Amino acid sequence: MCGIVAYSGVRAASPILLQGLRKLEYRGYDSAGIAIHDGAKIQIFKQEGKVSNLVDTLGDYKTDPTHLNAHAGIAHTRWATHGPPTTKNAHPHPAGEGGRIALVHNGIIENYRGLKARLEADGRVFLSDTDSEVLAQLVDSYYDGNLFEALSSALKEVEGTFGVACMCEDEPGKLLVARRGSPIVIGLGDGETIVASDASAIIKHTRQAIYLDDNDVAVIEGDQVDIRTLDAVPVQRDLASIDWSADAAEKGGFEHYMLKEIYEQPEAIRNAIRGRVNLDRGTAVLSGLGLSPRELVQFQRLLIVGCGTSLNAGLVGEYAVEDFAAMLGEVEQAAEFRYRNPIVGSKDLVVAISQSGETADTLAAVREAIDKGSMVAGLVNVVGSTIAREAGRGIYLHAGPEISVASTKAFTCQVSVLLLVALKLARGRRMSREEGLRISQEVLRVPELVQQVIDTNDAIAKVAEAFTDYEHMFYIGRGYMFPVALEGALKIKEISYIHAEAYNAAELKHGPIALLDENMPVVALMNKGPGQEKTVGNVEECRARKAPVLGVITEGDEEARAACDFTIEIPACPHYTATIVATVALQLFSYHVARLRGCSIDQPRNLAKSVTVE
Ligand code: F6R
């Protein structure tokens, strides 16, 4: 939620800040703003809506001396939590006499009401409805010539989460950044430092980075970075090297990031499973888990936590661990897990799934599981993210940057890796080498099968044309294909705004079938595998009620085709890998429906890429 960029160095700050904001816009796009220090004073520019609106209000910042002379600045793109998405609520927030302090914030100040009441009682006037302005005013209330002291005093009083950047008129060229629960990465350049909420905003400038830990405060001036605790004790943080290419974070000729990311899946999955399959021994190699077969066999349950698309991937993991390893598998929505005093302990291997590695509920679930004595592993895409670091062990997805708000390649990489986790657990139990080898080979085939689906993109686009005018849809599937139905329904609703519900195909008759008529199309996962004939039977029932049916079927399955009004074909494969292959088909279907409906595909309304609030 919300993106922060900050710059101090030899170049003009504004173009770098704006370019960074564009990269971070997926984190929030309700409003945007920048504050620059021109050597004498701080100037703030902000605007409702996307970053392009902000650029329009700046005039020609590429030649305007105000901007050219400013070598330090902070910037923000907002996803509203407190107060509507208006210009007055946009960051940066000024505070103090003549606006001597400027501050941008990502996160939530939970005790902002009490702090605000106190500051108002001291005569302070607030210009916005945000919790973030309370932090800005609090910093100013402590300011007595030393911004570090003012910020750290303020942050000690704050309950909640923050990634924060601020500067002061009296300390030109100096930036202060800090974090608790919201990510901050500091990019170290030549004569300059670029700070951002994630690496995509800095890779154009540098590959050398430092990830702040919770309660770190960094004082930055040009290329000087001094990191301290809130009590001013100096701390060293490791230097990390960012290996994403700048191209990987660009659209590369595609109309939308989402389409690009769908097309990247064969390569992304190859990267996710590379070096992780041992064909000789018919097992998976997951050194990031740091657990030997002897240790793995001690676990009685695989407990998976996550949210949204990551939760749907987790469901496939549950099916696979029970199917392959005859071991108890369970998936839990991370927010439910954290708040219901879960029964979990040393016999559980807890796997937290997250693309961003920053989802607040998933992070809290990780902490709860650790506190309850469980072994926790992260299955995360973003290297150095909070969940990856706090879990302490885990498996990186290596999917590359996922920019489109709707998750695509992260899901297919998550499922690919979960299949390997299930395989590893199974081989330590009753699964034979031959069976392990067979599953390994099926997993290795996935990139090629996904490519085959992508090659049918034009046919899927054609099918999508028939579905653009509906306002509701059902998705149905059984067994392994049920999580695919959930993910398909999630994808269509978030990017096309068509209301969609997913059911186990058997569940229709227990109520939802009452809604079926010619205005309620049904997308059915009918590819060959266990339970397929039953799903075909359910499809007949849908058509008897005039519901138009789109079947995802196995190539050449004429019987299944005859039961449907429309079909999308996928190559033959076992249901456990079909979860990936069929999902790619549904991603493309959702993409084309949304495109034809003229939706904002990469940045759907009300959403943000990284959900760092509860
Ligand atoms: C849907 C989507 C979200 C995320 C969810 C968890 O397309 O992207 O449902 O999957 O917010 O995010 P991560 O995986 O970053 O924890």
Side-chain angles (χ1 to χ4, degrees), residues 347-406:
K347 293 287 180 196
D348 296 308
L349 175 59
V350 176
V351 171
I353 308 185
S354 176
Q355 188 287 128
S356 61
E358 302 293 347
T359 300
D361 285 323
T362 310
L363 176 59
V366 165
R367 290 175 176 161
E368 181 64 19
I370 290 173
D371 289 346
K372 288 223 155 30
S374 297
M375 188 68 84
V376 179
L379 215 148
V380 170
N381 192 33
V382 177
V383 175
S385 56
T386 312
I387 292 173
R389 288 185 294 146
E390 292 209 11
R393 65 183 68 230
I395 307 163
Y396 279 120
L397 300 175
H398 300 313
E402 193 180 67
I403 306 296
S404 175
V405 165

Side-chain angles (χ1 to χ4, degrees), residues 307-310 353-356 359 405-407 490-491 494 611:
C307 301
T309 286
S310 296
I353 308 185
S354 176
Q355 188 287 128
S356 61
T359 300
V405 165
S407 188
L490 177 59
K491 219 81 308 171
E494 66 185 330
V611 186

Side-chain angles (χ1 to χ4, degrees), residues 126-413:
F126 284 80
L127 305 174
S128 79
D129 314 313
T130 65
D131 54 335
S132 308
E133 191 194 353
V134 175
L135 180 56
Q137 298 260 18
L138 190 63
V139 173
D140 182 65
S141 75
Y142 281 114
Y143 187 72
D144 189 17
N146 184 324
L147 188 57
F148 175 87
E149 280 174 13
L151 180 65
S152 49
S153 303
L155 294 180
K156 280 184 196 168
E157 280 203 63
V158 159
E159 287 163 22
T161 55
F162 52 79
V164 67
C166 70
M167 52 188 191
C168 176
E169 193 165 282
D170 304 341
E171 301 181 43
K174 193 183 277 185
L175 304 175
L176 269 91
V177 299
R179 73 157 270 170
R180 184 189 297 156
S182 303
I184 290 281
V185 51
I186 301 176
L188 309 176
D190 194 5
E192 62 186 8
T193 302
I194 308 108
V195 178
S197 297
D198 83 41
S200 61
I202 62 174
I203 49 177
K204 187 166 181 236
H205 310 289
T206 178
R207 296 306 164 101
Q208 300 300 305
I210 294 171
Y211 293 89
L212 286 192
D213 273 359
D214 277 353
N215 297 312
D216 283 351
V217 183
V219 183
I220 295 165
E221 204 163 351
D223 56 10
Q224 300 301 304
V225 178
D226 176 21
I227 306 175
R228 293 173 181 259
T229 65
L230 290 178
D231 292 318
V233 179
V235 284
Q236 287 291 331
R237 299 290 169 223
D238 293 343
L239 192 62
S241 179
I242 304 164
D243 61 4
W244 291 354
S245 72
D247 271 359
E250 299 289 346
K251 273 194 211 155
F254 286 90
E255 197 180 340
H256 297 99
Y257 281 113
M258 182 178 179
L259 189 61
K260 173 180 178 253
E261 288 159 12
I262 291 173
Y263 269 68
E264 281 171 350
Q265 287 177 109
E267 191 52 26
I269 297 167
R270 241 173 241 123
N271 290 338
I273 60 180
R274 180 170 291 126
R276 290 176 170 163
V277 177
N278 182 332
L279 283 178
D280 255 5
R281 295 160 79 160
T283 190
V285 183
L286 303 172
S287 38
L289 283 184
L291 294 166
S292 67
R294 185 197 287 255
E295 287 169 307
L296 283 172
V297 86
Q298 308 296 326
F299 295 114
Q300 289 175 354
R301 182 171 64 153
L302 179 70
L303 184 67
I304 300 171
V305 291
C307 301
T309 286
S310 296
L311 180 70
N312 293 338
L315 265 173
V316 180
E318 174 186 331
Y319 281 88
V321 80
E322 294 191 348
D323 185 15
F324 295 0
M327 177 182 171
L328 195 58
E330 229 173 293
V331 184
E332 182 128 3
Q333 207 280 342
E336 279 298 306
F337 179 86
R338 66 181 291 199
Y339 283 119
R340 66 171 183 81
N341 195 13
I343 300 169
V344 61
S346 60
K347 293 287 180 196
D348 296 308
L349 175 59
V350 176
V351 171
I353 308 185
S354 176
Q355 188 287 128
S356 61
E358 302 293 347
T359 300
D361 285 323
T362 310
L363 176 59
V366 165
R367 290 175 176 161
E368 181 64 19
I370 290 173
D371 289 346
K372 288 223 155 30
S374 297
M375 188 68 84
V376 179
L379 215 148
V380 170
N381 192 33
V382 177
V383 175
S385 56
T386 312
I387 292 173
R389 288 185 294 146
E390 292 209 11
R393 65 183 68 230
I395 307 163
Y396 279 120
L397 300 175
H398 300 313
E402 193 180 67
I403 306 296
S404 175
V405 165
S407 188
T408 53
K409 61 180 178 170
F411 175 88
T412 50
C413 290

